[in-house]
Amino acid sequence: MPDVLLPGIAATRVPTARLAQNVLHPEGTDPAGPGEAIVFVHGNVSSALFWQQTVLAVHGTGRHRVLAVDLRGYGDTDPQPVDARRGVGDWADDLGALLDALGPDRVHLVGWSMGAGVVLRHLLDAPDRVASVTLVAPVSPYGFGGTVGTEGRRLADDGAGSGGGAANPEFVAALAAGDTTDAAATSPRSILRAYYVAPGSLPLDPALEDVFVASMLSTRTGEDNYPGDAVPSDTWPGTAPGSRGVLNTMAPTVFDVSGIVDLPAKPPVLWIRGDADAIVSDTSVFDLAFLGQLGAVPGWPGAEVCPPQPMVTQTRAVLDRYAASGGAYREVVLPGVGHSPHVERPQEFVVALLEHLDVPATEPANLT
């Protein structure tokens, strides 16, 4: 994929015990080998291409081996089906297989949005391997949609309001059609401009924007990939998660990574987010409950029955418990930044990441 790789970035497909995975890395460096590595994990409807600027900047310090992986169903990694009955377990196991194949002794894991959930799941599965964690605009520890309160209580036993049925069908169709235009509000380019970054936060370089759109369009669509299947529900909004595909992996019926608070050894955590994030927010415009409150989804039963998910509040509550039980985290909030701090404020993001690697948090801290 030479047309979407920035100068200085190379791509290597790595055979693993589970599937062949595409890894981006600096040109002239071997992605395999012992020692420590930083591994960047992208979010939903994207790929490792979103990490290229970060990979180059961190590599430029000469202090770290840096890699970015395409998850299954995205980029140039094999488009295998996603078994949502395991939550994000398929991706976490894929990550483990990749690390087994590449051979680092310890990893610093950096996960964006859905990728942060994959990172935390891998931390639960293989804590001895993880030297540090960075969560970038992370999905709530209790998934996306259908929960309330700091403890992530499910609003309905079947997870109504989350899963594959929550996707916008026009956006899914635009992905499947490979739409590169901005003619519709639901085209990938329009969604990138309106929600991946905060409107007005920065003028995207047109060539770089094309790379990001190509990254979004690498998403495989369908019931086994994005968005996944759905089942009807007697509970508003009438849809519950199915068992296949991307959005169902983050349903509260199968996704809960709050168990990190019980790990005996807790690596330091950096939580970095923008205060204008419209995707992962206590008022997320992708949360059906919040859209119902706005009147955009009819029949909303009211805040007492179906309040919006407090996504940021849930993350803070879990990380506070993590710190209270022996861990440590640092929260960095970037003003005027949306869902993609590494894209919108690349220099500030790299500075925060390098500080985290060099001087890990020892107690909770909030920095703006």
Side-chain angles (χ1 to χ4, degrees):
M1 47 182 181
D3 54 328
V4 291
L5 295 181
L6 299 185
I9 293 288
T12 299
R13 274 178 53 87
V14 179
T16 77
R18 291 176 58 81
L19 75 171
Q21 302 184 53
N22 190 58
V23 175
L24 302 188
H25 55 90
E27 285 183 339
T29 66
D30 190 342
E36 291 194 351
I38 305 173
V39 179
F40 295 92
V41 183
H42 65 82
N44 190 17
V45 192
S46 63
S47 73
L49 294 174
F50 271 84
W51 290 117
Q52 292 185 90
Q53 293 169 289
T54 310
V55 167
L56 290 171
V58 176
H59 173 69
T61 68
R63 306 204 307 267
H64 302 282
R65 178 155 53 107
V66 283
L67 314 168
V69 60
D70 287 335
L71 298 175
R72 69 166 60 196
Y74 301 91
D76 277 0
T77 285
D78 287 349
Q80 301 289 7
V82 177
D83 183 355
R85 296 171 299 179
R86 308 183 60 235
V88 294
D90 269 352
W91 292 311
D93 287 353
D94 292 346
L95 178 58
L98 177 69
L99 297 175
D100 288 342
L102 294 178
D105 302 306
R106 298 259 284 168
V107 291
H108 301 273
L109 295 177
V110 184
W112 171 37
S113 194
M114 180 185 78
V118 176
V119 162
L120 291 180
R121 173 64 183 268
H122 187 72
L123 172 62
L124 286 168
D125 294 342
D128 293 341
R129 174 181 257 164
V130 180
S132 76
V133 168
T134 299
L135 307 175
V136 185
V139 63
S140 162
Y142 303 108
F144 200 99
T147 67
V148 66
T150 57
E151 77 288 357
R153 178 176 61 82
R154 238 185 282 171
L155 291 171
D157 288 342
D158 64 359
S162 67
N168 184 315
E170 294 179 1
F171 177 57
V172 177
L175 285 174
D179 184 357
T180 63
T181 74
D182 60 0
T186 51
S187 76
R189 190 177 299 272
S190 297
I191 295 295
L192 170 72
R193 293 173 178 173
Y195 301 111
Y196 279 44
V197 301
S201 69
L202 81 171
L204 277 177
D205 175 88
L208 196 56
E209 182 179 277
D210 287 344
V211 171
F212 295 151
V213 171
S215 174
M216 296 172 72
L217 290 173
S218 76
T219 303
R220 294 357 182 255
T221 56
E223 291 191 335
D224 281 323
N225 295 108
Y226 181 84
D229 62 344
V231 298
S233 173
D234 293 333
T235 303
W236 186 91
T239 183
S243 62
R244 301 154 57 196
V246 171
L247 293 187
N248 296 312
T249 68
M250 293 175 283
T253 49
V254 294
F255 185 99
D256 182 348
V257 292
S258 64
I260 61 171
V261 304
D262 298 319
L263 290 172
K266 296 178 172 69
V269 173
L270 170 64
W271 174 23
I272 184 166
R273 63 184 184 87
D275 68 359
D277 190 342
I279 296 178
V280 172
S281 165
D282 287 3
T283 54
S284 168
V285 295
F286 290 78
D287 177 11
L288 292 182
F290 182 65
L291 290 175
Q293 181 176 291
L294 295 179
V297 180
W300 182 60
E304 290 189 3
V305 176
C306 190
Q309 181 186 3
M311 301 177 185
V312 173
T313 298
Q314 289 174 343
T315 295
R316 182 172 293 109
V318 169
L319 289 178
D320 281 346
R321 288 169 51 205
Y322 186 83
S325 56
Y329 78 94
R330 177 183 293 125
E331 179 183 3
V332 176
V333 184
L334 300 178
V337 168
H339 191 58
S340 310
H342 53 303
V343 170
E344 297 170 78
R345 296 291 184 271
Q347 292 180 324
E348 293 172 64
F349 178 83
V350 169
V351 167
L353 176 61
L354 292 175
E355 180 183 7
H356 170 58
L357 298 176
D358 293 343
V359 187
T362 56
E363 58 186 19
N366 185 299
L367 305 175
T368 58

PDB file of all heavy atoms in Angstrom, residues 143-166:
ATOM      1  N   GLY A 143     -17.833  -0.957  27.996  1.00  0.00           N
ATOM      2  CA  GLY A 143     -18.295  -1.057  26.630  1.00  0.00           C
ATOM      3  C   GLY A 143     -18.963   0.197  26.125  1.00  0.00           C
ATOM      4  O   GLY A 143     -18.841   1.282  26.710  1.00  0.00           O
ATOM      5  N   PHE A 144     -19.703   0.054  25.027  1.00  0.00           N
ATOM      6  CA  PHE A 144     -20.298   1.212  24.359  1.00  0.00           C
ATOM      7  C   PHE A 144     -21.804   1.025  24.261  1.00  0.00           C
ATOM      8  O   PHE A 144     -22.294   0.215  23.496  1.00  0.00           O
ATOM      9  CB  PHE A 144     -19.701   1.385  22.957  1.00  0.00           C
ATOM     10  CG  PHE A 144     -19.882   2.768  22.407  1.00  0.00           C
ATOM     11  CD1 PHE A 144     -18.855   3.700  22.463  1.00  0.00           C
ATOM     12  CD2 PHE A 144     -21.085   3.147  21.838  1.00  0.00           C
ATOM     13  CE1 PHE A 144     -19.022   4.982  21.966  1.00  0.00           C
ATOM     14  CE2 PHE A 144     -21.269   4.428  21.332  1.00  0.00           C
ATOM     15  CZ  PHE A 144     -20.231   5.351  21.403  1.00  0.00           C
ATOM     16  N   GLY A 145     -22.526   1.792  25.093  1.00  0.00           N
ATOM     17  CA  GLY A 145     -23.983   1.764  25.065  1.00  0.00           C
ATOM     18  C   GLY A 145     -24.583   0.819  26.082  1.00  0.00           C
ATOM     19  O   GLY A 145     -24.010  -0.214  26.422  1.00  0.00           O
ATOM     20  N   GLY A 146     -25.745   1.213  26.602  1.00  0.00           N
ATOM     21  CA  GLY A 146     -26.553   0.299  27.401  1.00  0.00           C
ATOM     22  C   GLY A 146     -26.177   0.141  28.855  1.00  0.00           C
ATOM     23  O   GLY A 146     -26.631  -0.809  29.493  1.00  0.00           O
ATOM     24  N   THR A 147     -25.370   1.059  29.414  1.00  0.00           N
ATOM     25  CA  THR A 147     -25.050   0.976  30.843  1.00  0.00           C
ATOM     26  C   THR A 147     -25.240   2.339  31.497  1.00  0.00           C
ATOM     27  O   THR A 147     -25.307   3.376  30.839  1.00  0.00           O
ATOM     28  CB  THR A 147     -23.600   0.512  31.100  1.00  0.00           C
ATOM     29  OG1 THR A 147     -22.674   1.512  30.648  1.00  0.00           O
ATOM     30  CG2 THR A 147     -23.317  -0.812  30.417  1.00  0.00           C
ATOM     31  N   VAL A 148     -25.274   2.313  32.834  1.00  0.00           N
ATOM     32  CA  VAL A 148     -25.464   3.532  33.609  1.00  0.00           C
ATOM     33  C   VAL A 148     -24.614   3.464  34.867  1.00  0.00           C
ATOM     34  O   VAL A 148     -24.282   2.384  35.342  1.00  0.00           O
ATOM     35  CB  VAL A 148     -26.963   3.728  33.969  1.00  0.00           C
ATOM     36  CG1 VAL A 148     -27.426   2.635  34.917  1.00  0.00           C
ATOM     37  CG2 VAL A 148     -27.215   5.103  34.568  1.00  0.00           C
ATOM     38  N   GLY A 149     -24.261   4.623  35.401  1.00  0.00           N
ATOM     39  CA  GLY A 149     -23.566   4.682  36.681  1.00  0.00           C
ATOM     40  C   GLY A 149     -22.090   4.364  36.574  1.00  0.00           C
ATOM     41  O   GLY A 149     -21.604   3.855  35.563  1.00  0.00           O
ATOM     42  N   THR A 150     -21.370   4.670  37.658  1.00  0.00           N
ATOM     43  CA  THR A 150     -19.923   4.443  37.661  1.00  0.00           C
ATOM     44  C   THR A 150     -19.564   2.966  37.700  1.00  0.00           C
ATOM     45  O   THR A 150     -18.429   2.604  37.394  1.00  0.00           O
ATOM     46  CB  THR A 150     -19.290   5.146  38.861  1.00  0.00           C
ATOM     47  OG1 THR A 150     -19.907   4.673  40.066  1.00  0.00           O
ATOM     48  CG2 THR A 150     -19.477   6.659  38.769  1.00  0.00           C
ATOM     49  N   GLU A 151     -20.527   2.131  38.056  1.00  0.00           N
ATOM     50  CA  GLU A 151     -20.266   0.693  38.116  1.00  0.00           C
ATOM     51  C   GLU A 151     -20.672  -0.027  36.837  1.00  0.00           C
ATOM     52  O   GLU A 151     -20.540  -1.257  36.735  1.00  0.00           O
ATOM     53  CB  GLU A 151     -21.014   0.082  39.305  1.00  0.00           C
ATOM     54  CG  GLU A 151     -22.511  -0.123  39.124  1.00  0.00           C
ATOM     55  CD  GLU A 151     -23.350   1.161  39.120  1.00  0.00           C
ATOM     56  OE1 GLU A 151     -22.780   2.262  39.322  1.00  0.00           O
ATOM     57  OE2 GLU A 151     -24.582   1.064  38.912  1.00  0.00           O
ATOM     58  N   GLY A 152     -21.159   0.710  35.835  1.00  0.00           N
ATOM     59  CA  GLY A 152     -21.506   0.121  34.551  1.00  0.00           C
ATOM     60  C   GLY A 152     -22.696  -0.813  34.603  1.00  0.00           C
ATOM     61  O   GLY A 152     -22.717  -1.833  33.897  1.00  0.00           O
ATOM     62  N   ARG A 153     -23.699  -0.458  35.388  1.00  0.00           N
ATOM     63  CA  ARG A 153     -24.878  -1.326  35.484  1.00  0.00           C
ATOM     64  C   ARG A 153     -25.618  -1.366  34.160  1.00  0.00           C
ATOM     65  O   ARG A 153     -25.876  -0.344  33.528  1.00  0.00           O
ATOM     66  CB  ARG A 153     -25.814  -0.813  36.584  1.00  0.00           C
ATOM     67  CG  ARG A 153     -27.099  -1.637  36.730  1.00  0.00           C
ATOM     68  CD  ARG A 153     -27.945  -1.151  37.889  1.00  0.00           C
ATOM     69  NE  ARG A 153     -28.362   0.238  37.728  1.00  0.00           N
ATOM     70  CZ  ARG A 153     -29.415   0.626  36.993  1.00  0.00           C
ATOM     71  NH1 ARG A 153     -30.131  -0.274  36.327  1.00  0.00           N
ATOM     72  NH2 ARG A 153     -29.748   1.903  36.937  1.00  0.00           N
ATOM     73  N   ARG A 154     -25.971  -2.586  33.729  1.00  0.00           N
ATOM     74  CA  ARG A 154     -26.686  -2.765  32.473  1.00  0.00           C
ATOM     75  C   ARG A 154     -28.115  -2.246  32.590  1.00  0.00           C
ATOM     76  O   ARG A 154     -28.814  -2.525  33.568  1.00  0.00           O
ATOM     77  CB  ARG A 154     -26.725  -4.249  32.114  1.00  0.00           C
ATOM     78  CG  ARG A 154     -26.106  -4.579  30.780  1.00  0.00           C
ATOM     79  CD  ARG A 154     -26.290  -6.037  30.436  1.00  0.00           C
ATOM     80  NE  ARG A 154     -25.347  -6.873  31.150  1.00  0.00           N
ATOM     81  CZ  ARG A 154     -25.395  -8.201  31.158  1.00  0.00           C
ATOM     82  NH1 ARG A 154     -26.356  -8.832  30.507  1.00  0.00           N
ATOM     83  NH2 ARG A 154     -24.502  -8.891  31.808  1.00  0.00           N
ATOM     84  N   LEU A 155     -28.561  -1.517  31.587  1.00  0.00           N
ATOM     85  CA  LEU A 155     -29.928  -1.020  31.581  1.00  0.00           C
ATOM     86  C   LEU A 155     -30.931  -2.125  31.255  1.00  0.00           C
ATOM     87  O   LEU A 155     -32.090  -2.054  31.655  1.00  0.00           O
ATOM     88  CB  LEU A 155     -30.069   0.113  30.567  1.00  0.00           C
ATOM     89  CG  LEU A 155     -29.336   1.419  30.929  1.00  0.00           C
ATOM     90  CD1 LEU A 155     -29.370   2.388  29.760  1.00  0.00           C
ATOM     91  CD2 LEU A 155     -29.959   2.055  32.163  1.00  0.00           C
ATOM     92  N   ALA A 156     -30.496  -3.109  30.506  1.00  0.00           N
ATOM     93  CA  ALA A 156     -31.351  -4.239  30.146  1.00  0.00           C
ATOM     94  C   ALA A 156     -30.499  -5.494  30.104  1.00  0.00           C
ATOM     95  O   ALA A 156     -29.330  -5.442  29.723  1.00  0.00           O
ATOM     96  CB  ALA A 156     -32.019  -4.012  28.789  1.00  0.00           C
ATOM     97  N   ASP A 157     -31.079  -6.609  30.491  1.00  0.00           N
ATOM     98  CA  ASP A 157     -30.309  -7.851  30.528  1.00  0.00           C
ATOM     99  C   ASP A 157     -29.746  -8.221  29.168  1.00  0.00           C
ATOM    100  O   ASP A 157     -28.664  -8.819  29.081  1.00  0.00           O
ATOM    101  CB  ASP A 157     -31.194  -8.996  31.042  1.00  0.00           C
ATOM    102  CG  ASP A 157     -31.485  -8.876  32.531  1.00  0.00           C
ATOM    103  OD1 ASP A 157     -30.754  -8.136  33.228  1.00  0.00           O
ATOM    104  OD2 ASP A 157     -32.450  -9.515  32.997  1.00  0.00           O
ATOM    105  N   ASP A 158     -30.479  -7.874  28.109  1.00  0.00           N
ATOM    106  CA  ASP A 158     -30.032  -8.256  26.766  1.00  0.00           C
ATOM    107  C   ASP A 158     -29.105  -7.228  26.130  1.00  0.00           C
ATOM    108  O   ASP A 158     -28.696  -7.381  24.985  1.00  0.00           O
ATOM    109  CB  ASP A 158     -31.224  -8.529  25.849  1.00  0.00           C
ATOM    110  CG  ASP A 158     -32.102  -7.305  25.602  1.00  0.00           C
ATOM    111  OD1 ASP A 158     -31.798  -6.227  26.157  1.00  0.00           O
ATOM    112  OD2 ASP A 158     -33.101  -7.431  24.846  1.00  0.00           O
ATOM    113  N   GLY A 159     -28.753  -6.175  26.877  1.00  0.00           N
ATOM    114  CA  GLY A 159     -27.845  -5.162  26.335  1.00  0.00           C
ATOM    115  C   GLY A 159     -28.491  -4.224  25.338  1.00  0.00           C
ATOM    116  O   GLY A 159     -27.793  -3.607  24.522  1.00  0.00           O
ATOM    117  N   ALA A 160     -29.811  -4.081  25.401  1.00  0.00           N
ATOM    118  CA  ALA A 160     -30.526  -3.227  24.456  1.00  0.00           C
ATOM    119  C   ALA A 160     -29.881  -1.845  24.378  1.00  0.00           C
ATOM    120  O   ALA A 160     -29.473  -1.276  25.377  1.00  0.00           O
ATOM    121  CB  ALA A 160     -31.991  -3.091  24.858  1.00  0.00           C
ATOM    122  N   GLY A 161     -29.799  -1.327  23.138  1.00  0.00           N
ATOM    123  CA  GLY A 161     -29.197  -0.025  22.922  1.00  0.00           C
ATOM    124  C   GLY A 161     -27.740  -0.084  22.535  1.00  0.00           C
ATOM    125  O   GLY A 161     -27.121   0.960  22.288  1.00  0.00           O
ATOM    126  N   SER A 162     -27.177  -1.273  22.482  1.00  0.00           N
ATOM    127  CA  SER A 162     -25.780  -1.437  22.079  1.00  0.00           C
ATOM    128  C   SER A 162     -25.713  -2.454  20.948  1.00  0.00           C
ATOM    129  O   SER A 162     -26.699  -3.073  20.582  1.00  0.00           O
ATOM    130  CB  SER A 162     -24.929  -1.911  23.268  1.00  0.00           C
ATOM    131  OG  SER A 162     -25.299  -3.224  23.651  1.00  0.00           O
ATOM    132  N   GLY A 163     -24.508  -2.626  20.390  1.00  0.00           N
ATOM    133  CA  GLY A 163     -24.300  -3.675  19.397  1.00  0.00           C
ATOM    134  C   GLY A 163     -24.533  -3.237  17.964  1.00  0.00           C
ATOM    135  O   GLY A 163     -24.661  -2.048  17.643  1.00  0.00           O
ATOM    136  N   GLY A 164     -24.605  -4.221  17.080  1.00  0.00           N
ATOM    137  CA  GLY A 164     -24.643  -3.987  15.650  1.00  0.00           C
ATOM    138  C   GLY A 164     -25.812  -3.155  15.180  1.00  0.00           C
ATOM    139  O   GLY A 164     -25.710  -2.434  14.179  1.00  0.00           O
ATOM    140  N   GLY A 165     -26.925  -3.231  15.879  1.00  0.00           N
ATOM    141  CA  GLY A 165     -28.104  -2.472  15.481  1.00  0.00           C
ATOM    142  C   GLY A 165     -27.985  -0.992  15.743  1.00  0.00           C
ATOM    143  O   GLY A 165     -28.840  -0.214  15.293  1.00  0.00           O
ATOM    144  N   ALA A 166     -26.949  -0.573  16.455  1.00  0.00           N
ATOM    145  CA  ALA A 166     -26.766   0.847  16.765  1.00  0.00           C
ATOM    146  C   ALA A 166     -26.064   1.606  15.653  1.00  0.00           C
ATOM    147  O   ALA A 166     -25.951   2.833  15.714  1.00  0.00           O
ATOM    148  CB  ALA A 166     -25.985   0.996  18.070  1.00  0.00           C
TER     149      ALA A 166
END
